[in-house]
Amino acid sequence: MTLANSTRFLVWLVTCLVTTTAAAEWYSDTQSIMGTRVHAEIWQEDAAEGQRVLAEIMAEMRRVDETFSTFLDTSELSRLNRQAGKGWMQVSDELFDLLQKSRTVSDLTDGAFDITYASAGRYYDYRAGKRPDDETLRGALAAINYRYVELDAANNRVRFTHPDVYVDLGGIAKGHAVDRCAAILAREGITQGTISAGGDSRIIGDRRGRPWTVGIRDPRREDAMAVLLPLVDTAVSTSGDYERFFEEGGVRYHHILDPNTGDSARATRSVTILGADATFTDALSTSVFVLGPVEGLKLINRLPGVDAIVIDGDGVMRYSADLARLAH
Ligand code: ADP
Ligand code: MG
């Protein structure tokens, strides 16, 4: 036996040993992070490896939350909100990148996606049933405009050109976290799995020869599904008006705001976006929610590789052109 041959034989022998002794299995974990349910499920040969990768994913979710949370005074985003109104602030590559992606989606959606929505959004407390009075809202509206967030790419610097600007990345950060975790799985050589943070998911590969199933909730019935989607290798994000809301005088106040009014967008009940990466599908689900079914689906139909399912204000389900063709 030549050396090359013996090496090959050894590799073959080791492969046989591994495949006969290892019990490949699904490993999963669910935790409460970023104010939502974070879930990961992966197909792995080895139990210790499976647990190690799951722990790495949960740690990454926590790290992203600690960077972009507006509830933590110590987060980089909170620092930006304190300082950037006073002048240029140096930020991490990661924050700069997410601000740049937000800007791209703002341009694409004519400002329906606008992280400065939070100049008004910060005065809502959905759990406590609180909303801003007219005067506060009027003042806050003056500080909503994504163009007030100035990005200096040469120096990774950011400043706000209006003193009352307040930004929140809640419409894009979960998708970003999911994409970061999908990159971990790719690095670990895991080819079948799913990762989700609230309504934002990545489906990696299939589920042992079958598609994964992702349900879109009926927006008005807590335990009912409106539709089940069989999916392989996709990013999928859902935004709904049932996630965080309160009702007052028969009006639903929920967490997706129209940047033009500082009030909740009400032409839609839920939006699901399918695409290649979760950062983009997350931002687009929020965007299409604000744009409403007509303008929203027009936008999606212009974007290659992106599809949408919208449940409109009357509860009617509408599909983007490619999905509508499939459904018929
Ligand atoms: P969630 O998974 O939290 O329901 P969504 O993708 O539905 O997230 O986005 C809702 C979140 O996006 C809100 O909680 C808020 O942080 C943020 N947001 C609300 N309105 C806008 C807007 N017009 N542009 C950008 N972000 C927004
Ligand atoms: Mg979203």
Side-chain angles (χ1 to χ4, degrees):
M1 221 186 266
T2 63
L3 183 64
N5 270 345
S6 66
T7 312
R8 207 172 301 138
F9 174 72
L10 202 64
V11 169
W12 176 78
L13 185 70
V14 168
T15 312
C16 285
L17 284 176
V18 168
T19 46
T20 50
T21 54
E25 260 187 72
W26 290 108
Y27 294 93
S28 69
D29 193 10
T30 305
Q31 294 193 22
S32 190
I33 306 172
M34 299 194 273
T36 195
R37 178 182 174 273
V38 168
H39 177 73
E41 190 174 357
I42 57 175
W43 181 259
Q44 248 289 340
E45 305 285 337
D46 179 85
E49 277 292 286
Q51 297 305 341
R52 181 183 63 74
V53 173
L54 287 174
E56 199 181 330
I57 283 170
M58 294 302 164
E60 179 64 3
M61 292 282 188
R62 288 215 163 75
R63 190 196 61 76
V64 171
D65 183 38
E66 281 158 17
T67 310
F68 299 118
S69 169
T70 50
F71 297 106
L72 288 175
D73 283 344
T74 51
S75 75
E76 190 179 10
L77 190 66
S78 291
R79 213 151 16 93
L80 183 79
N81 274 324
R82 282 195 300 270
Q83 292 179 23
K86 298 177 192 143
W88 289 109
M89 177 184 152
Q90 196 90 33
V91 300
S92 65
D93 288 349
E94 191 179 6
L95 176 55
F96 197 85
D97 178 58
L98 213 46
L99 291 171
Q100 235 169 4
K101 284 180 172 151
S102 298
R103 169 77 193 217
T104 302
V105 178
S106 295
D107 285 331
L108 188 68
T109 60
D110 217 0
F113 188 83
D114 186 332
I115 58 173
T116 69
Y117 87 90
S119 306
R122 66 191 303 195
Y123 298 111
Y124 287 85
D125 183 339
Y126 300 98
R127 221 169 274 164
K130 268 194 356 215
R131 62 189 179 93
D133 58 47
D134 288 350
E135 200 188 322
T136 309
L137 188 58
R138 227 172 306 122
L141 273 179
I144 299 182
N145 188 333
Y146 65 91
R147 293 184 185 87
Y148 291 151
V149 181
E150 203 176 334
L151 301 173
D152 170 12
N155 302 295
N156 260 32
R157 294 187 309 170
V158 185
R159 71 172 171 187
F160 300 156
T161 55
H162 186 293
D164 299 332
V165 167
Y166 189 87
V167 301
D168 190 311
L169 294 170
I172 192 168
K174 285 205 270 291
H176 166 72
V178 167
D179 281 337
R180 296 279 304 210
C181 292
I184 293 176
L185 294 195
R187 200 180 65 222
E188 297 286 348
I190 290 167
T191 54
Q192 289 179 309
T194 179
I195 296 170
S196 63
D200 302 297
S201 309
R202 278 281 291 268
I203 306 293
I204 292 135
D206 62 11
R207 203 172 197 290
R208 311 301 296 155
R210 289 161 181 266
W212 293 85
T213 315
V214 173
I216 300 179
R217 222 197 84 173
D218 180 327
R220 293 295 176 268
R221 282 161 55 213
E222 199 149 339
D223 297 320
M225 288 293 169
V227 65
L228 293 176
L229 306 171
L231 298 174
V232 173
D233 251 326
T234 328
V236 52
S237 292
T238 297
S239 292
D241 67 1
Y242 47 82
E243 289 288 346
R244 244 167 292 156
F245 73 96
F246 63 90
E247 278 175 335
E248 194 188 300
V251 178
R252 180 179 290 241
Y253 293 91
H254 65 83
H255 69 319
I256 302 172
L257 298 191
D258 182 338
N260 289 315
T261 61
D263 189 12
S264 305
R266 296 200 183 83
T268 326
R269 292 182 185 174
S270 103
V271 175
T272 299
I273 304 284
L274 304 171
D277 73 276
T279 311
F280 196 43
T281 58
D282 185 7
L284 277 181
S285 70
T286 309
S287 309
V288 170
F289 197 104
V290 171
L291 288 169
V294 177
E295 288 307 312
L297 285 172
K298 260 193 224 164
L299 168 71
I300 295 303
N301 287 335
R302 283 204 307 271
L303 300 176
V306 182
D307 274 294
I309 298 156
V310 178
I311 301 178
D312 70 17
D314 298 321
V316 177
M317 199 171 327
R318 308 192 193 198
Y319 301 94
S320 59
D322 289 347
L323 284 182
R325 262 195 296 280
L326 278 181
H328 290 111

